[in-house]
């Protein structure tokens, strides 16, 4: 087993259409590479949560960790940032679903709304050349650099 887990894998359920990867294909690829788990982080979609659990049960895979997350747009000081929200626990699922209930209408989350549920999330900023406020970094657990 390798000591590596991909923390931002997208599947065909990602609403930005950046991936055509099937969940089963992703899981099997990770296992074949000796990885112990994967974080499935589709953009604007949580459809993969249920489907991934179902696939693990179908394949009878027990020693593989699924981390669930979502990539969303967050508004901070009138700027839009791409953010990864990874779930720490089962309460994180409920917190995420509550937070996303307004997301379908607005297509963004306010940073304050995200931070209210911080204890249930690991929050990452996808940093690119369009990020204007460096002071936003203090709110995140990690940063991904997007080129």
């Amino acid at each position: 087993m390798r000591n590596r887990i991909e923390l931002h894998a997208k599947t065909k359920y990602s609403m930005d259409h950046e991936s055509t990867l099937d969940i089963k294909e992703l899981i099997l690829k990770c296992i074949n590479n000796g990885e112990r788990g994967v974080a499935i982080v589709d953009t604007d979609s949580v459809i993969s949560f249920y489907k991934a659990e179902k696939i693990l049960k179908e394949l009878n895979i027990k020693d593989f960790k699924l981390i669930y997350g979502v990539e969303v747009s967050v508004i901070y000081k009138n700027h839009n940032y791409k953010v990864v929200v990874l779930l720490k626990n089962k309460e994180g699922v409920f917190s995420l679903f509550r937070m996303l209930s307004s997301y379908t209408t607005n297509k963004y989350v306010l940073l304050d709304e995200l931070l209210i549920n911080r204890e249930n999330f690991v929050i990452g900023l996808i940093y690119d050349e369009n990020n204007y406020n460096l002071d936003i970094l203090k709110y995140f657990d990690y940063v991904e650099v997007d080129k």
Side-chain angles (χ1 to χ4, degrees):
M1 288 278 180
R2 291 172 37 182
N3 288 327
R4 179 190 185 285
I5 294 178
E6 173 61 47
L7 292 178
H8 195 156
K10 291 189 179 188
T11 72
K12 65 184 181 181
Y13 298 104
S14 190
M15 299 306 279
D16 61 5
H17 307 290
E18 287 185 358
S19 177
T20 59
L21 197 58
D22 182 70
I23 295 171
K24 186 175 185 177
E25 183 183 349
L26 171 64
I27 291 171
L28 291 174
K29 186 179 281 194
C30 289
I31 290 170
N32 289 337
N33 286 337
E35 296 176 20
R36 299 180 301 177
V38 65
I40 298 175
V41 181
D42 288 329
T43 301
D44 300 337
S45 175
V46 294
I47 295 169
S48 59
F49 291 15
Y50 168 75
K51 293 183 181 289
E53 284 292 331
K54 185 177 174 187
I55 289 166
L56 282 185
K57 287 178 184 171
E58 281 176 11
L59 298 174
N60 198 27
I61 297 171
K62 305 237 186 276
D63 294 334
F64 189 80
K65 176 71 176 164
L66 283 176
I67 302 168
Y68 297 111
V70 65
E71 181 181 314
V72 294
S73 294
V74 171
I75 300 296
Y76 176 69
K77 294 187 178 179
N78 297 319
H79 293 288
N80 188 350
Y81 296 89
K82 292 191 299 183
V83 171
V84 172
V85 180
L86 300 176
L87 308 183
K88 283 186 183 178
N89 49 44
K90 288 192 182 216
E91 183 56 38
V93 175
F94 300 115
S95 298
L96 179 66
F97 287 172
R98 278 192 303 271
M99 186 179 72
L100 292 180
S101 64
S102 64
Y103 190 81
T104 55
T105 306
N106 301 329
K107 291 296 183 200
Y108 64 83
V109 173
L110 297 174
L111 181 62
D112 292 341
E113 189 178 0
L114 181 64
L115 296 177
I116 288 170
N117 297 294
R118 179 171 203 75
E119 72 275 1
N120 300 315
F121 302 143
V122 174
I123 307 169
L125 174 67
I126 302 172
Y127 195 83
D128 64 24
E129 68 275 359
N130 296 319
N131 293 129
Y132 302 106
N133 295 308
L134 290 178
D135 65 319
I136 194 173
L137 296 175
K138 64 186 172 195
Y139 299 111
F140 295 92
D141 299 306
Y142 69 96
V143 176
E144 293 180 27
V145 178
D146 189 19
K147 292 187 176 189

